[in-house]
């Protein structure tokens, strides 16, 4: 059975073989801590879309929230609404209050919501106090928006990943934006996908703003899966919410692990998820 790793955003310009080695090393550490050895004949697959996603986003020249003040280039209304809603949801999930956001706002806002761009900028600045930081969150919301709303971008990224899902039975691990990509691919392939078990780590799939733009939009367990395991660190701003019956109601329910203590600096890094003992155990048991 193959093990397929699907990475998130901000991997452009990196060596895909080195990235795969980092993922493998972290998982092997998790297995070693459990006294487990690598399964015989394990084949690990790493579909790399980082350069292509970066190229497509550069072509579109989609502005960041920070671009509004530094370059004067505001996004369109739909994008502003999505990114404002997403940032607001991340802030609430992180425990930030209106007072926390107000501290970064000049004057009194007439409207506290996603269509007040100055308020959205204040939300982003307030999120800078979280481990992942303002700049990374700004880039994340931009990239997620482009992937979810631009059909041409989504088609090209999904094709790179989907090609690895057909044929030999596999276990799939999706991280961050990679979990959104893999979910879309699994849903669109249906019975043609060979994935039997699915692991998501640091996943933003519980965010309502993202769910409304998934393709197809109705939430459902992908066909053919024998189990879905979702792990997150409660300090990970991108993945603060479990994929449970309140945020991601599917049948059968997803098994969630909130007890991960991600040791990477921003609490979101893949290394700090794959070497977690329970994440490593679930992947191992899915493979054998």
């Amino acid at each position: 059975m193959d093990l397929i790793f699907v990475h998130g955003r901000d991997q452009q310009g990196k060596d895909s073989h080195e990235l795969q080695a980092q993922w493998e090393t972290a998982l092997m550490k998790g297995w070693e801590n459990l006294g487990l050895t690598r399964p015989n004949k394990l084949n690990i697959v790493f579909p790399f879309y980082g350069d292509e996603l970066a190229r497509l986003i550069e072509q579109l020249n989609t502005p960041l929230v920070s671009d509004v003040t530094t370059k004067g280039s505001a996004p369109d209304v739909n994008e502003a609404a999505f990114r404002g809603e997403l940032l607001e949801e991340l802030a609430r999930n992180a425990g930030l209050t209106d007072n926390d956001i107000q501290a970064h706002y000049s004057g009194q806002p007439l409207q506290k919501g996603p269509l007040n761009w100055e308020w959205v900028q204040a939300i982003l600045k307030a999120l800078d106090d979280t481990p992942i930081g303002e700049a990374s969150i700004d880039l994340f919301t931009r990239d997620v928006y482009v992937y979810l709303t631009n059909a041409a971008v989504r088609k090209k990224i999904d094709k790179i990943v989907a090609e690895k899902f057909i044929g030999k039975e596999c276990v799939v691990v999706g991280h961050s934006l990679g979990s959104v990509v893999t979910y879309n691919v699994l849903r669109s392939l249906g019975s043609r996908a060979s994935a039997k078990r699915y692991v998501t780590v640091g996943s933003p799939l519980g965010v309502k703003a993202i769910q409304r733009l998934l393709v197809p939009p109705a939430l459902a367990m992908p066909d053919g899966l024998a189990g879905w395991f979702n792990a997150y660190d409660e300090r990970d701003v991108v993945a603060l919410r479990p994929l449970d019956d309140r945020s991601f109601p599917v049948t059968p329910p997803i098994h969630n692990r909130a007890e991960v203590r991600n040791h990477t600096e921003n609490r979101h890094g893949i290394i700090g998820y794959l070497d977690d003992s329970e994440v490593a155990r679930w992947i191992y048991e899915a493979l054998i």
Side-chain angles (χ1 to χ4, degrees):
M1 187 176 293
D2 286 351
L3 175 59
I4 302 178
F5 290 145
V6 183
H7 65 81
R9 62 159 304 278
D10 195 27
Q11 303 303 305
Q12 65 274 12
K14 298 179 181 179
D15 185 294
S16 62
H17 299 291
E18 291 182 2
L19 285 174
Q20 178 177 333
Q22 292 172 9
W23 284 54
E24 288 190 40
T25 299
L27 180 58
M28 300 309 160
K29 180 180 178 182
W31 285 347
E32 288 171 5
N33 291 340
L34 294 167
L36 302 172
T37 58
R38 179 179 177 132
N40 291 331
K41 299 181 180 179
L42 173 63
N43 182 45
I44 297 180
V45 181
F46 194 85
F48 181 70
Y49 64 85
D51 289 342
E52 181 66 5
L53 179 62
R55 183 186 69 80
L56 294 168
I57 287 175
E58 184 178 4
Q59 285 182 348
L60 293 169
N61 197 29
T62 306
L64 297 167
V65 172
S66 56
D67 289 339
V68 176
T69 52
T70 60
K71 301 178 182 179
S73 52
D76 64 33
V77 173
N78 290 332
E79 181 185 355
F82 168 81
R83 294 178 68 183
E85 182 183 358
L86 193 156
L87 288 170
E88 194 166 50
E89 193 169 351
L90 293 181
R92 301 309 179 200
N93 290 341
L96 297 178
T97 66
D98 279 357
N99 287 337
D100 296 323
I101 299 169
Q102 181 70 52
H104 299 276
Y105 191 94
S106 178
Q108 289 295 322
L110 297 176
Q111 178 185 11
K112 297 177 181 178
L115 294 182
N116 181 344
W117 200 240
E118 288 76 17
W119 182 252
V120 171
Q121 290 172 323
I123 295 173
L124 187 60
K125 291 183 182 300
L127 284 165
D128 194 40
D129 295 330
T130 63
I132 201 166
E134 174 185 350
S136 292
I137 293 174
D138 197 359
L139 288 163
F140 172 78
T141 59
R142 189 271 312 275
D143 292 0
V144 169
Y145 177 79
V146 170
Y147 168 76
L148 287 173
T149 61
N150 189 296
V153 171
R154 188 171 61 253
K155 182 178 180 180
K156 290 184 178 180
I157 300 305
D158 287 0
K159 183 176 185 294
I160 293 172
V161 175
E163 289 174 345
K164 307 300 182 181
F165 283 27
I166 300 174
K168 189 176 179 181
E169 286 190 354
C170 60
V171 174
V172 179
V173 179
H175 174 237
S176 192
L177 175 60
S179 70
V180 179
V181 174
T182 51
Y183 176 77
N184 269 350
V185 168
L186 287 169
R187 289 292 313 281
S188 62
L189 286 177
S191 60
R192 290 178 294 153
S194 55
K196 298 305 176 187
R197 293 181 184 265
Y198 185 29
V199 179
T200 49
V201 292
S203 175
L205 282 168
V207 177
K208 299 300 183 184
I210 290 175
Q211 289 178 4
R212 280 192 281 275
L213 295 179
L214 291 172
V215 180
L219 300 181
M221 180 68 72
D223 292 341
L225 286 183
W228 181 344
F229 178 84
N230 177 65
Y232 64 102
D233 185 324
E234 292 178 326
R235 302 166 299 170
D236 182 349
V237 176
V238 173
L240 287 167
R241 182 176 293 174
L243 303 183
D244 57 17
D245 57 358
R246 292 172 297 176
S247 67
F248 208 91
V250 296
T251 303
I254 300 164
H255 179 78
N256 285 276
R257 171 170 167 76
E259 294 79 19
V260 177
R261 303 304 289 176
N262 191 309
H263 54 80
T264 61
E265 185 176 2
N266 63 8
R267 314 305 182 200
H268 184 64
I270 185 59
I271 306 304
Y273 278 117
L274 287 179
D275 64 11
D276 174 80
S277 60
E278 288 307 308
V279 173
R281 185 192 306 278
W282 208 92
I283 294 173
Y284 186 87
E285 292 178 351
L287 287 167
I288 59 176

